[in-house]
Amino acid sequence: ICLFLSLSCFFFTLYVGGSFSSIVGQPRNIVAAIDAGTGILTSWNPNVNNAVLSLVVSGSMVYVGGGFTTVGGQTRNRLAAIDAGTGTPTTWNPNVSFNVNTLTVSGSMVYVGGNFTSIGVQTRNRVAAIDAVTGTDTSWNPDASGTVNTLAVSGSTVYEGGS
């Protein structure tokens, strides 16, 4: 299960993702939000159809990556941005060819790693940088030779780990 804690307006929301169909006895497909102060499940319910392997909250967005192909009934291949307040997927739709194992946000970029070979119509082997506003792949192309399982950004350097 992926966990992320977001501080907003004096309350904490814990966003979780994984491969579950219920949480604290309530139906939730793959992702959920829990009020960290009370432990009560919120009404936030994006309804993802397959595993979430990575989850990051940035501002009012919850970015999720994994093996899914729909979020809230909308086609979102393996990567999506979900409104942190409403739980609805945004129009941000990079269209990744295979699993996203890890993601991180830095400034206006969403960096993703996994097993994929394309983002949209661009060839991107296992690691890519996607514009956080438009959802389009950038020209950054490190061309990893094996699966990327972890990413970290420090300043202008992106670190990746995997096979």
Side-chain angles (χ1 to χ4, degrees), residues 132-160:
V133 175
T134 66
T136 57
D137 183 37
T138 67
S139 60
W140 187 74
N141 187 12
D143 196 28
S145 63
T147 301
V148 174
N149 292 318
T150 190
L151 291 169
V153 177
S154 179
S156 63
T157 303
V158 179
Y159 298 91
E160 58 187 82

Side-chain angles (χ1 to χ4, degrees), residues 14-106:
L14 178 67
Y15 294 93
V16 296
S19 292
F20 52 85
S21 60
S22 69
I23 192 162
V24 293
Q26 299 295 313
R28 289 293 187 278
N29 289 323
I30 312 302
V31 293
I34 300 167
D35 182 305
T38 65
I40 297 172
L41 187 67
T42 72
S43 60
W44 193 81
N45 187 10
N47 193 27
V48 177
N49 77 328
N50 204 338
V52 165
L53 303 173
S54 189
L55 182 150
V56 173
V57 177
S58 180
S60 63
M61 290 300 129
V62 178
Y63 294 95
V64 294
F68 55 85
T69 56
T70 65
V71 176
Q74 302 293 314
T75 299
R76 295 292 182 273
N77 290 314
R78 297 160 202 92
L79 185 61
I82 302 168
D83 185 286
T86 65
T88 57
T90 69
T91 58
W92 193 82
N93 189 9
N95 192 25
V96 182
S97 66
F98 203 70
N99 288 357
V100 171
N101 298 340
T102 183
L103 60 96
T104 191
V105 177
S106 180

